[in-house]
Amino acid sequence: MSMTAEGFFEYLRYERNASERTVEKYSCALGLFRHYLDDICEGMEWEMVDRDIINDWIEHEMESGCTARTVCGYLTAAKAFYRFGLKRGLVMSDPAHSVDGPKKDKPLPYFVKEKDMNRLLDEIEWGEGIEDVRARTIILFFYETGVRAAELISLDDSQVDFVNGQIKVTGKRNKQRIVPFGNELRETLKTYIAKRDEELPRQCDALFVDNKGMRMRYDQVRKVVCDSLGLVTTMKKRSPHVLRHSFATAMLNNEAGLESVQKLLGHESIATTEIYTHTTFEQLKKVYTNAHPRA
């Protein structure tokens, strides 16, 4: 028997005697969670969700402009849902149990410092096998383009324009945008594609495929990022979204305009992009405090 949101709502109504308002609130929260899961990996079952995915979802909702109070309500619904699944034997563990809700103040986004990204891409010795070549290409792709994990996973070869150095990205609600890339990523992609086509039995048109030639899944891409970032940072948070944050922070630190970064990231509102200005300001405050003799 698989776990379903409908079964949970029936449980709330007929066994817990919950109000219809409570059911509606939980339905809204789980609907948003379902939409997020389908974005990162279409068809992902509730049973496949782990703690990291729930944390990423919470962070995603905060970035989308939700208040901490609203997001805590979403998390409450997820926790109730997985408690229900655990009691019924529909899941082996409860991934939401140990997830903490956001504080009232929005936390600054995690990002990897430029020097650490440069060390990872330039100084770490990567192997020449397909797995190492693919891993480095994925890391560089995220860092040079700032795309979301779901956007990277959904890319096909045909969406990469090597002549003009740009990719056609399909973002949320199927909105498309063009994102440029530089010579380093161009050459890295060409090397990866040549090795991929030589060594892997491709089963689809995806740009990034696993060892069986199938389009990579979110959990596979996440593991690549987590393992790779672990080579240069001890941060607990090491996800594709951290590389998106790192891209935005690096761009703003190097004098890119806020509106340009907004367009590159595919943010509908510039207010969402402004969180990265807070990050760069925090860095400036540290520099000031350390450098000024009377600070």
Side-chain angles (χ1 to χ4, degrees):
M1 185 178 178
S2 61
M3 185 154 126
T4 65
E6 290 73 19
F8 172 58
F9 300 146
E10 288 185 9
Y11 160 77
L12 289 176
R13 286 190 180 100
Y14 304 119
E15 295 188 39
R16 294 296 302 272
N17 293 318
S19 69
E20 198 57 37
R21 182 178 179 183
T22 296
V23 175
E24 287 177 2
K25 285 170 60 179
Y26 282 16
S27 176
C28 175
L30 293 181
L32 289 170
F33 192 19
R34 179 71 265 168
H35 182 74
Y36 175 76
L37 293 179
D38 286 338
D39 263 355
I40 64 173
C41 182
E42 189 172 353
M44 178 182 285
E45 301 291 342
W46 295 111
E47 296 89 336
M48 297 167 63
V49 171
D50 61 20
R51 185 178 186 276
D52 287 336
I53 291 177
I54 294 178
N55 269 319
D56 285 350
W57 171 52
I58 294 302
E59 184 177 334
H60 163 78
E61 294 298 340
M62 290 293 288
E63 284 185 3
S64 297
C66 292
T67 65
R69 181 176 181 178
T70 297
V71 173
C72 283
Y74 295 163
L75 181 58
T76 296
K79 289 187 173 186
F81 182 45
Y82 279 101
R83 280 199 304 271
F84 157 78
L86 194 61
K87 287 180 180 178
R88 294 294 174 89
L90 302 175
V91 291
M92 298 295 291
S93 61
D94 177 358
H97 173 70
S98 60
V99 176
D100 295 324
K103 296 179 181 179
K104 289 185 178 180
D105 293 329
K106 284 189 178 182
L108 293 174
Y110 289 92
F111 67 95
V112 183
K113 295 178 181 178
E114 287 181 57
K115 65 177 183 179
D116 290 329
M117 287 304 303
N118 290 337
R119 186 155 62 92
L120 176 60
L121 292 167
D122 299 334
E123 299 177 22
I124 294 294
E125 290 189 14
W126 297 82
E128 297 183 0
I130 182 61
E131 291 186 358
D132 275 353
V133 171
R134 180 176 56 209
R136 188 182 182 280
T137 305
I138 287 173
I139 296 298
L140 183 63
F141 199 101
F142 276 128
Y143 189 51
E144 274 213 24
T145 65
V147 297
R148 302 176 177 91
E151 294 168 346
L152 177 139
I153 291 167
S154 67
L155 279 174
D156 291 338
D157 283 4
S158 60
Q159 292 168 265
V160 181
D161 181 349
F162 284 104
V163 175
N164 296 305
Q166 60 189 35
I167 54 171
K168 182 182 290 185
V169 177
T170 302
K172 294 180 180 179
R173 289 177 283 280
N174 291 320
K175 289 189 176 180
Q176 292 190 326
R177 68 185 189 279
I178 301 297
V179 178
F181 60 84
N183 288 330
E184 182 183 6
L185 183 55
R186 178 188 282 109
E187 296 308 312
T188 301
L189 276 170
K190 287 181 178 179
T191 300
Y192 157 71
I193 289 172
K195 199 161 194 67
R196 178 200 68 187
D197 292 349
E198 178 184 347
E199 298 187 18
L200 299 179
R202 293 191 69 205
Q203 307 294 327
C204 62
D205 296 325
L207 177 61
F208 291 104
V209 298
D210 61 21
N211 290 348
K212 295 180 180 178
M214 301 297 293
R215 189 181 299 275
M216 291 187 76
R217 304 188 308 272
Y218 174 77
D219 59 309
Q220 293 172 323
V221 172
R222 194 183 211 289
K223 187 177 189 307
V224 165
V225 172
C226 183
D227 291 348
S228 299
L229 292 185
L231 298 173
V232 293
T233 179
T234 57
M235 285 194 318
K236 290 184 178 179
K237 183 76 172 175
R238 303 196 302 270
S239 68
H241 226 63
V242 167
L243 287 176
R244 182 167 160 86
H245 296 326
S246 304
F247 162 83
T249 304
M251 291 287 289
L252 290 169
N253 280 341
N254 287 281
E255 302 183 358
L258 193 61
E259 289 187 2
S260 298
V261 176
Q262 175 196 1
K263 291 177 181 177
L264 290 169
L265 291 173
H267 285 161
E268 289 189 8
S269 169
I270 201 165
T272 307
T273 317
E274 283 176 343
I275 189 172
Y276 299 110
T277 64
H278 302 159
T279 302
T280 54
F281 182 67
E282 286 299 312
Q283 292 296 102
L284 281 175
K285 283 203 299 184
K286 288 180 182 178
V287 171
Y288 170 80
T289 302
N290 291 332
H292 197 286
R294 300 183 68 88

